[in-house]
Amino acid sequence: MIRARKSMTPFDWELLLDRLSEFYGTGDWRRPYLRDHAENPFQVLVGTILSQRTRDANTDAASARLFARFPDARGLAAAPQKEVESLIRATGFYRVKARVVRSVAREILDRFGGTVPRDYAELVSLPGVGPKTANCVLVFGYGIPAIPVDTHVHRIANRLGVVRTRTPEETEARLREVVDPKYWIPLNPLLVQHGQNLCRPNRPLCPQCPIRDQCATGVALRDGRDPPRPDDRPGRRRPPGAERAPRAARRSGPRATPTPRSTTSPARSTRRGRRRRRRPRAGPS
Ligand code: SF4
């Protein structure tokens, strides 16, 4: 049974996470390559690097093959490049990824004695490790509260209206301010699950969404209003009197009269047109 929303402000993260957990069923919603290697920070780290720009199924298959052969930093640091390439081929960009994971393994061995660091700054100092990967290691490898922000978390946080950001890095910084740390660990797995099912990049399935009444986009679309946009964020508001017309009015409103095209107007002059005018005409000799 989905509970009614307790309050509108501050944002009720507990209710949101409860509803998503209930909707998708209780269980572990971490992606398999994270779940299967949880509490092994090295495998979480390497699995997350392999997951970049590929599907989860490919990451799962490649991770299983790689870790069956080279389960730790010592083994992977000494692994031949070609063998690693062939083991992770399914992930795409396998030559680059093989180089990166081998050098990560070497640095973990040389700089940290074979143990993946638990410190964010040290993690992002490793080759190929950005904020999302570092936060995945903290959350899924060590159980330390952090907010890994991928495209799903970035998109949904903006649609909910709890942030107005342009990049995942901005989203992470803002979420750290507005979300109580006790909700950080389940936030990523549940929002990723939601982003892969209902809150898709294109055509989100809002009428089926269990958190629609908490979502600025879902409520706006239901009421025929424009959803919030990044340029509505504080400091980027339009001046008074310059608001966008409501969605319905814009759709039915009169169209601007098109400006007639003029072949002589310099403003309408195109590079192609200029080239055409310069080209000598073929004519009777
Ligand atoms: S209401 Fe729509 S936009 Fe909002 S979280 Fe649900 S699916 Fe996404």
Side-chain angles (χ1 to χ4, degrees):
M1 181 69 133
I2 291 171
R3 285 189 286 140
R5 184 167 178 186
K6 291 172 190 166
S7 65
M8 292 301 288
T9 52
F11 192 85
D12 195 337
W13 291 101
E14 185 177 345
L15 182 58
L16 179 130
L17 296 173
D18 277 358
R19 284 187 177 179
L20 290 178
S21 304
E22 202 169 323
F23 186 78
Y24 291 111
T26 49
D28 191 340
W29 291 112
R30 283 174 293 185
R31 300 177 201 195
Y33 67 86
L34 295 172
R35 183 181 60 226
D36 296 348
H37 307 290
E39 295 162 23
N40 185 329
F42 178 74
Q43 295 188 358
V44 170
L45 170 57
V46 172
T48 307
I49 292 171
L50 296 183
S51 76
Q52 291 164 10
R53 303 181 71 179
T54 193
R55 291 184 300 143
D56 288 352
N58 296 336
T59 306
D60 297 339
S63 299
R65 282 161 59 91
L66 182 68
F67 299 140
R69 181 84 178 86
F70 306 111
D72 54 26
R74 188 168 298 282
L76 190 55
Q81 169 77 12
K82 288 287 175 201
E83 187 174 358
V84 176
E85 286 179 10
S86 86
L87 292 169
I88 65 167
R89 199 180 182 97
T91 65
F93 306 100
Y94 58 92
R95 292 196 180 95
V96 176
K97 288 179 181 176
R99 268 201 301 278
V100 170
V101 295
R102 288 171 66 245
S103 61
V104 163
R106 277 197 297 272
E107 290 216 17
I108 288 172
L109 211 53
D110 296 344
R111 290 170 53 201
F112 302 106
T115 303
V116 175
R118 305 166 61 96
D119 176 78
Y120 179 88
E122 289 178 341
L123 282 166
V124 293
S125 74
L126 292 167
V129 177
K132 188 198 88 172
T133 302
N135 285 323
C136 278
V137 173
L138 294 177
V139 169
F140 302 114
Y142 285 119
I144 296 172
I147 308 179
V149 175
D150 63 2
T151 55
H152 296 297
V153 176
H154 174 59
R155 180 178 69 256
I156 297 173
N158 274 278
R159 284 178 174 173
L160 288 171
V162 292
V163 302
R164 291 282 181 275
T165 51
R166 295 189 183 277
T167 65
E169 289 74 25
E170 283 181 31
T171 301
E172 186 201 331
R174 185 73 187 114
L175 287 176
R176 292 173 75 89
E177 292 169 5
V178 299
V179 184
D180 190 310
K182 67 183 176 188
Y183 303 128
W184 288 6
I185 287 182
L187 195 66
N188 170 284
L190 282 169
L191 292 189
V192 168
Q193 182 78 7
H194 196 43
Q196 290 174 336
N197 288 277
L198 295 189
C199 197
R200 300 167 185 167
N202 300 315
R203 299 173 190 271
L205 304 175
C206 302
Q208 302 170 34
C209 179
I211 55 172
R212 187 178 189 180
D213 66 333
Q214 289 182 284
C215 172
T217 300
V219 169
L221 292 176
R222 184 192 62 198
D223 298 345
R225 290 183 285 107
D226 276 332
R229 297 161 60 91
D231 59 353
D232 291 336
R233 63 182 171 173
R236 298 184 66 88
R237 292 189 190 284
R238 293 180 180 79
E243 282 86 4
R244 288 162 66 87
R247 164 181 286 257
R250 282 211 314 280
R251 210 183 293 127
S252 60
R255 292 192 171 196
T257 309
T259 312
R261 278 178 176 259
S262 164
T263 52
T264 56
S265 164
R268 290 274 172 195
S269 171
T270 62
R271 203 177 293 164
R272 193 173 164 196
R274 284 196 297 274
R275 273 204 307 272
R276 200 177 287 148
R277 280 195 292 282
R278 277 201 296 271
R279 199 180 301 145
R281 288 184 171 214
S285 54

